[in-house]
Amino acid sequence: MEKRKYIVSGLLLFICQAVFSQTARIYGKVTDSVTNEPLIEAVVFIKGTNINTLTDVNGTYSLLLRKGTYTATASYLGYYQKEIEVRIDGGEQAVDFRMKGSTQLYEVNVSAQARDERVNTLQMGLEKLTASEIKRMPALLGEVDVIKAVQLLPGVQTVSEGGSGFSVRGGSPDQNLILLDNATVYNASHLLGFFSIFNNDVLRGLSLYKGDIPAKHGGRLSSLLDIQTKTDMPERFGATGGVGLISSRLMLEAPVGTNTSWMAGGRRSYADLFLKMSPNKDLRQSSVYFYDTNVKVMHRFSGKDRLELSGYYGKDHFGASVGAFDYGNASGTLVWSHIFSETLFAHIGLCFSNYDYGLESDMEGMQATWQSSITDRSLRVDFGQPAGDLWNLSYGLSSTIHSFNPGIVAVKGFEDITVPGNRALEHSVYASNEQKFSERFSVKYGLRWSLFQNIGRATVFNYDRDYRSVDSTVYASGKVYNTYSRFEPRVGVTLKLGESSSVKANYAHNVQFIQLANNSAAGSPLDIWFSAGPNVRPQEADLFALGYFHNLKQNTYETSVELYYKDLKHVIDFAEHARLLLNDKLDGQIRTGSGRAYGAEFMVKKNTGTLTGFVNYTLSRSERTIADVNRGRTYPAPFDKTHVLNVALNCDLSRKCTLSAVWIYATGNPTTYPSGRFDIMGEYFPIYSGRNEYRRPDYHRLDLSFTFSPDRDSRKRWKSEWNVALFNAYNKKNPWVITYLRNTDTGMPYAEMMYLFGIVPSVTYNFKF
């Protein structure tokens, strides 16, 4: 055994020596070509690789490369991208970038990724969008919406008309991990889903990982939506804002000295102000609004140390004379970043996240309140250790304590109804690496180990085979009474077929320990989050994907085809007519089984020219097989849509005028309808079909927007634009809810459809200085 250890240690030392002996350092400074001022947090990357870094407070950078010839590229918001060819023969080499400012002073549409990144990167199923790309898409009532932009990406589907939930590759909305500056977001909706909680003015951009989630993140089966707020330090005081028909927003930012800056943004809707002018008394006493705020403070202690503090708080309010309903999110993140050396850096962070809702009613003198919440407190430690093409190591750990409070109902004059809260710990350790063996062949691999523990105080019910509670066990406060441990491997390979094409394949095993309880595919703010436990095993998924990527005409066009297959275990559904709210025996309503999802995603994207945009088409199926649901027969998952086609186009009519259009087509959602009826003494009762045996009508919609920017070429600090948009331009009445009612005269059932939107026009005035 000792001999074997020495052999392994010797091999590791030999590999490390071989890796570092073939590397050399390039370093330099990125500055403004006119003022010679350093550009802080400029991106410096090596074209055709995954090697990149950011400049420090002095505008300097450093990279390690193997011997060979490379194209070093520098990119910075508001400046033209610059490329320099570098030949590495050994030793150190200085490479400086003098950046020329763009003449498009109003707004620079910076891509979230290099145009050839989809061909060269090891990551598959990754979609990126910047704030400027999101802004160009038509929006409902003029409110730019991150989630609505995500819903247009290949493999992503809406779950309901106007909703902010989304399904990725046949998964449910709760199988998507949504992060805002690394803090978990449990409900990303405003106004019951018509808008998302993310203010586009404060965002840097987003990354959507479809299944192949990086090893440092986990806890969900389908995807990771990683949303980051702005990280660039402003050189002077500035503001960005807009005034629309339904809401207004304002973002302020400024430096404090040379090493500190702050940013604050806020939005508020004002539909409630118009209700005050209604002649109807009940409407005058009603209120409907949302608001949110984002705050961020950044400080550089040195070129190697940086501290970021960010926070979010948002609330929705619905009020009437008989009661009120509120729900909202709060989050906070504190991250310290430190560079130990040229080949080692770390990010250490504390995160807080909370989602809660409350109901108040006062009907006929009976006063009642209902409160529910979920709270997370987390610690993350992440290390990066790049050392050239053969060694790009990431590793770290995280720990989270979840606090679930399903609900407390207090009715005046009666005993409170309380569903006991519970807590759980979720820990993880991970390591991943990327290796480039040649100019054509690269590999990435990683392993994540997750540990989930249920903590008392808790009452666990035991059930018989018919899901009837037979007894229970009480666990003391602080006692760990159940533990799940899972390994989550990831592996991916990239084979370049030439300078502009590649083939990729990957495998990932994902595990999910917490999930939503809901009876509606559309979801609602009253949904309850619950954890795995003695009666609920964690859900697991094995994802296999294969893709071909090809760029044309010097990366002007991007094309791709991705095939995927997802095998699900212990997938969750609920018993027929399950009672989910205020149920202390919720786990007795759960039914588990298997599932699968498979499909093909096709995309064509044009990056440059007067006309830009993308067309993507997804052909897919998603199915579930659960012994106690639908008599054990396989049935379509609630988010199974066979065909989805998205078209998004932007046309620059002139330097100051832009026309944008989005067209969406999707197969209707699966649903359960009455398929027959029976008569008892003249009363008709419906007989329902199998689970999700029918489909709603197909969905399609056209959105248009026109933007006029009179100050685009002006050198004045104040810049403005007008945006006019039409949501659902040809007035398609897409069903939101279809219900079956009974004719009181004949007793015969009939269907009634409710739709949300006809044509919805909007006008928004945006400004920036």
Side-chain angles (χ1 to χ4, degrees), residues 209-259:
Y209 298 85
K210 298 179 291 188
D212 186 18
I213 300 173
K216 70 177 181 178
H217 294 293
R220 297 295 188 275
L221 298 187
S222 292
S223 76
L224 162 67
L225 178 59
D226 187 12
I227 300 174
Q228 298 291 330
T229 56
K230 299 174 68 174
T231 56
D232 53 315
M233 286 192 169
E235 297 181 356
R236 57 187 179 183
F237 175 78
T240 302
V243 180
L245 295 180
I246 192 171
S247 66
S248 293
R249 65 191 193 280
L250 178 65
M251 187 275 290
L252 305 174
E253 58 183 347
V256 180
T258 57
N259 295 317

Side-chain angles (χ1 to χ4, degrees), residues 470-724:
V470 293
D471 57 29
S472 62
T473 305
V474 178
Y475 295 95
S477 178
K479 180 177 178 57
V480 176
Y481 62 88
N482 182 71
T483 299
Y484 288 110
S485 175
R486 295 291 187 272
F487 287 100
E488 302 174 58
R490 288 108 155 97
V491 62
V493 297
T494 297
L495 176 63
K496 289 196 65 177
L497 306 178
E499 287 298 320
S500 59
S501 62
S502 65
V503 174
K504 303 179 188 180
N506 70 32
Y507 163 77
H509 181 76
N510 298 332
V511 180
Q512 181 163 339
F513 298 102
I514 64 174
Q515 47 271 315
L516 268 178
N518 62 53
N519 278 322
S520 168
S524 80
L526 299 180
D527 292 337
I528 300 294
W529 287 89
F530 67 98
S531 70
N535 296 313
V536 183
R537 299 178 68 179
Q539 300 181 80
E540 302 186 42
D542 291 291
L543 176 69
F544 305 87
L546 177 69
Y548 173 71
F549 303 83
H550 185 68
N551 288 5
L552 302 168
K553 294 188 176 181
Q554 297 182 333
N555 301 318
T556 298
Y557 295 91
E558 297 179 32
T559 66
S560 65
V561 180
E562 293 191 45
L563 310 177
Y564 69 88
Y565 181 87
K566 184 160 51 175
D567 183 45
L568 302 166
K569 299 179 180 66
H570 317 306
V571 65
I572 286 176
D573 208 328
F574 297 92
E576 304 290 348
H577 313 296
R579 184 171 69 87
L580 304 181
L581 300 179
L582 297 175
N583 187 352
D584 59 350
K585 299 181 180 65
L586 177 63
D587 48 4
Q589 303 290 317
I590 293 170
R591 306 293 184 262
T592 61
S594 61
R596 65 174 183 168
Y598 53 93
E601 300 166 1
F602 304 85
M603 190 194 75
V604 177
K605 182 178 181 181
K606 186 173 185 289
N607 293 309
T608 60
T610 301
L611 181 67
T612 58
F614 60 80
V615 178
N616 62 64
Y617 167 70
T618 302
L619 173 67
S620 64
R621 293 304 307 268
S622 182
E623 301 169 337
R624 303 288 184 266
T625 305
I626 298 175
D628 298 298
V629 176
N630 201 42
R631 299 180 182 178
R633 296 174 300 179
T634 298
Y635 60 94
F639 313 102
D640 174 61
K641 295 184 179 181
T642 310
H643 306 284
V644 176
L645 176 64
N646 296 314
V647 181
L649 300 174
N650 297 296
C651 181
D652 293 326
L653 303 177
S654 68
R655 291 278 300 160
K656 298 182 179 182
C657 298
T658 301
L659 179 66
S660 300
V662 169
W663 187 73
I664 302 168
Y665 169 84
T667 302
N669 284 62
T671 189
T672 304
Y673 287 151
S675 58
R677 61 191 176 93
F678 62 92
D679 179 5
I680 299 180
M681 300 180 64
E683 289 289 331
Y684 293 97
F685 297 89
I687 300 173
Y688 285 92
S689 65
R691 180 73 66 95
N692 293 339
E693 194 170 297
Y694 292 90
R695 287 188 180 274
R696 293 183 177 184
D698 290 353
Y699 180 97
H700 54 91
R701 190 188 78 232
L702 174 67
D703 302 333
L704 299 171
S705 113
F706 175 78
T707 302
F708 174 60
S709 307
D711 306 314
R712 180 179 290 275
D713 297 322
S714 171
R715 294 189 174 273
K716 297 184 298 182
R717 285 201 63 192
W718 181 274
K719 306 290 193 297
S720 64
E721 70 175 21
W722 287 93
N723 178 271
V724 180

